[in-house]
Every structure is written in structure tokens, then in C-alpha cells.
Amino acid sequence: MKKVAVIMGSDSDLPVVEKAFAVFEEYGVPFEVHVYSAHRTPVEARVFAGSAAENGFGVIIAAAGKAAHLAGSLAANTVLPVIGIPVKSSTLDGLDALLSTVQMPSGIPVATVAIDGAQNAALLAVQILAVSDEGLHEKLMSARRAATEKVLKKDAEIAAKFNK
């Protein structure tokens, strides 16, 4: 199975991206975590992205706040899918990071999740890997069925209580 790379622009992003780790562990997806900055370590970030496919990665997740150029700089150096997580910062509540991540030029796509949306980023990475992994696909389908059953159970409980 291909690995997922989780790249943070700063170690201060760790509390956000840790939510992704539980998803990978739940689905049995191997992952690696690194800190590379688009601005402070551009060469290292470029080298990592450029060699990610040959190093066994299938998806890259990039989490960054403020100017949030990390996802785009990684995407510019690989054809692997890159998922950006805009991280909420103290200045503009993550709106700056969201716009920097989502507004990519034509030809260099970055999938973007919600501000601090590490869990959805991880699930999207799992879905991408599941395209070529039937076991992973079945785990995702099972989780969706369980979520449906949970909501329908809550619906029945609320309906029984209030719909007389």
C-alpha cells in the first residue's frame, strides 16, 4: 500500500494534523510526518515532493497557516495528489490560509479541505488510495454504512420522542 505524507509548515501545526493520524491508524494506512516550510526550507520541500512517488507515497497532505504556500509549492514539484489543510492562525482566523491554499493557478491543482480540516484531509487521502486498493475501499464503505445506521437510529429516537 502507498504511504501518505503529512507535511507541516511549522511544528505549531501539529495539534491540527494529529487528527489525521487517528484516521490513518483506523484504516491501516502508513504515513510519515515532516516539517518543511515553503519559505524557510524551499529546497528541502521541493526535493521531498519531487521524490515522493519513488519513495512510496501516493498522496501528500500539506498543512500551513498564514500565507499557506506549502501545498502549492509541493504540488508544483509532483504529480501526486496534494491535499491542503489551511490552518487557523491568530491574525485572520485561517481565511488567509484558506484563500492561499484554494486559489491555485490552472495546471497545478491542490485539493483543499476546511480550515483545520485534518480529519477530512485524511479521509480524502484514504479515498484516493482506495481507488486501487479493494480492501481499503471496503473499509470506507463499511464506515459509511455505520455512519448511516447511526444517523437513522438517532432519527428514530427523536421521532419517537416528539412525533406523536
Side-chain angles (χ1 to χ4, degrees), residues 59-63 71 81-85 101 110-113 120-122 124-125 128:
V59 181
I60 298 173
I61 294 175
V82 174
I83 303 166
I85 304 172
T101 305
V110 169
T112 307
V113 296
N120 270 353
L124 181 55
I128 291 167

Side-chain angles (χ1 to χ4, degrees), residues 65-120:
K66 299 191 180 196
H69 296 120
L70 182 59
S73 68
L74 294 170
N77 289 288
T78 186
V79 295
L80 291 178
V82 174
I83 303 166
I85 304 172
V87 176
K88 184 177 181 177
S89 64
S90 60
T91 46
L92 297 174
D93 287 332
L95 183 59
D96 49 348
L98 173 64
L99 295 175
S100 294
T101 305
V102 78
Q103 292 292 348
M104 290 299 298
S106 295
I108 308 295
V110 169
T112 307
V113 296
I115 296 168
D116 291 349
Q119 185 179 20
N120 270 353

